[in-house]
Amino acid sequence: MIRAEGQDRLERLLADRILVLDGAMGTMVQSYGLDENDYRGERFADHPQELKGDNELLAITRPELIEEIHHRFLEAGCHIIETNTFGSTAVAQADYGLESAVRDMNLAAVAIARRAVDAWNERTPDRPRFVAGAIGPTPKTLSVGPKVDDPAFRSITFDALREAYAEQARALVEGGADLLLVETIFDTLNAKAALVAIDEVYEALGRRLPLMISVAITDASGRTLSGQTVDAFFHSVAHTNPLSVGVNCSLGAVDMRPYVAELAEISSTFVSSYPNAGLPNAFGEYDEEPATTSALLREFAESGLVNFVGGCCGTTPDHIRAIVDAVEGVA
């Protein structure tokens, strides 16, 4: 097995400390109150479809805003920031008619994150920072058919997903990411398409980056949306030799804990956990305060469950700053 670039360095750091991921890009973008013109910019001023809500497009049309968000999380003390590319695949961007802009989105997002991380590495060389190329699940699923009267029907094929993920992964690697993060996995077959694509890109480019994988457990059933348990999920992806396997999104830390504990028990890799700021309220907003989230994650750390922590939906730089303080000094 060929070692991934930079994996030895990350493993040395993980032997000494818990590494902290950033918080929620979407939550931060929403706080700026952007309008349609912000999303369009000059390049897409005449685009025929509405673009508001396509946060990944902001890497092209509002790069200074995305860079500001990265700096706010880095200032809070996180070690790893995710590129603003959660939905930067042709499959996801088809909703906006922007499939042709996908490579540019990924390259722009990596460049922004790279600038921010490099600036902080120069400023605080004793606290190394890294860029994780974020790869999200897409709006389509391979395991569940959308037609009740035709259970065999699927809205997309494995090969189509694989090709879309390959386009994204290639841009993230070529753009300068330090590692790749396949996250918020609700359908393991979708994740398999991403993992196959990443491996093919690594082979084609002749280089490998460390790989993090993170699953979303949807509710108290302890299963993904496509029906897998944490145990089954881990054994479905372990063959890719990831740096870490973890749990993110869907749940707050309280409800996520049993699944992180199960993963820590069976995993042969490092373990990550980046929960939401509690569960959403009646308005879809997250009310859990930084002190609460950070105390819960400190307990994860002190119990020996995690190597990476961070925040998902609803988490702000204040949450990340509190998490950094909470796990500082915990082995």
Side-chain angles (χ1 to χ4, degrees):
M1 178 66 69
I2 300 172
R3 294 283 288 173
E5 296 175 16
Q7 185 142 333
D8 290 339
R9 185 184 186 200
L10 282 164
E11 289 180 354
R12 286 195 299 271
L13 288 169
L14 288 162
D16 182 58
R17 68 185 72 176
I18 289 168
L19 298 184
V20 181
L21 294 149
D22 59 5
M25 175 61 74
T27 296
M28 296 302 295
V29 167
Q30 289 171 15
S31 71
Y32 285 82
L34 303 181
D35 61 22
E36 180 70 18
N37 290 329
D38 289 302
Y39 285 88
R40 288 181 174 274
E42 292 183 12
R43 176 171 169 180
F44 303 101
D46 298 323
H47 190 72
Q49 291 179 231
E50 185 176 334
L51 297 177
K52 185 177 179 180
D54 187 2
N55 290 346
E56 290 75 18
L57 185 58
L58 296 172
I60 295 174
T61 58
R62 292 295 306 273
E64 77 291 346
L65 183 147
I66 300 302
E67 188 163 354
E68 179 180 307
I69 292 171
H70 286 323
H71 278 290
R72 289 174 67 181
F73 281 122
L74 288 162
E75 185 178 19
C78 72
H79 302 92
I80 299 171
I81 60 169
E82 296 182 46
T83 55
N84 181 39
T85 54
F86 185 85
S88 294
T89 59
V91 176
Q93 289 300 316
D95 290 347
Y96 298 97
L98 289 176
E99 299 95 316
S100 63
V102 162
R103 179 171 170 82
D104 289 349
M105 284 184 195
N106 284 281
L107 289 174
V110 179
I112 294 166
R114 186 80 265 160
R115 278 198 306 273
V117 160
D118 289 347
W120 280 90
N121 280 339
E122 187 174 341
R123 193 180 308 180
T124 57
D126 58 324
R127 189 180 186 85
R129 320 292 180 111
F130 303 88
V131 175
I135 298 176
T138 87
K140 296 185 182 293
T141 172
L142 289 168
S143 294
V144 182
K147 295 184 177 181
V148 176
D149 58 344
D150 187 3
F153 176 81
R154 295 293 183 271
S155 57
I156 196 167
T157 65
F158 184 93
D159 285 341
L161 261 183
R162 176 182 57 78
E163 290 169 8
Y165 279 127
E167 179 184 27
Q168 180 179 33
R170 178 180 281 271
L172 292 171
V173 174
E174 291 178 341
D178 296 307
L179 59 142
L180 296 184
L181 170 57
V182 181
E183 64 173 338
T184 320
I185 297 166
F186 65 83
D187 181 348
T188 307
L189 195 52
N190 280 34
K192 290 270 194 180
L195 296 172
V196 169
I198 289 167
D199 192 61
E200 290 174 349
V201 168
Y202 286 169
E203 289 290 331
L205 296 178
R207 53 185 297 223
R208 292 179 176 271
L209 301 183
L211 176 64
M212 299 177 68
I213 300 173
S214 188
V215 67
I217 300 301
T218 54
D219 54 35
S221 70
R223 295 176 179 269
T224 64
L225 188 66
S226 57
Q228 274 196 315
T229 62
V230 170
D231 186 301
F233 174 79
F234 175 77
H235 290 291
S236 295
V237 300
H239 68 282
T240 62
N241 194 36
L243 174 68
S244 69
V245 178
V247 188
N248 78 290
C249 206
S250 297
L251 304 171
V254 171
D255 297 303
M256 185 181 286
R257 191 191 190 285
Y259 312 119
V260 177
E262 181 181 357
L263 188 58
E265 181 71 24
I266 63 173
S267 179
S268 55
T269 71
F270 294 107
V271 174
S272 67
S273 170
Y274 50 112
N276 295 343
L279 295 175
N281 60 28
F283 303 101
E285 298 169 344
Y286 294 86
D287 300 323
E288 189 170 275
E289 293 293 327
T292 302
T293 307
S294 60
L296 292 166
L297 287 177
R298 180 176 177 86
E299 189 277 323
F300 285 22
E302 290 176 334
S303 297
L305 304 182
V306 291
N307 309 97
F308 297 91
V309 293
C312 208
C313 302
T315 56
T316 65
D318 288 340
H319 287 84
I320 299 306
R321 184 174 292 104
I323 291 168
V324 168
D325 292 343
V327 302
E328 191 71 36
V330 182

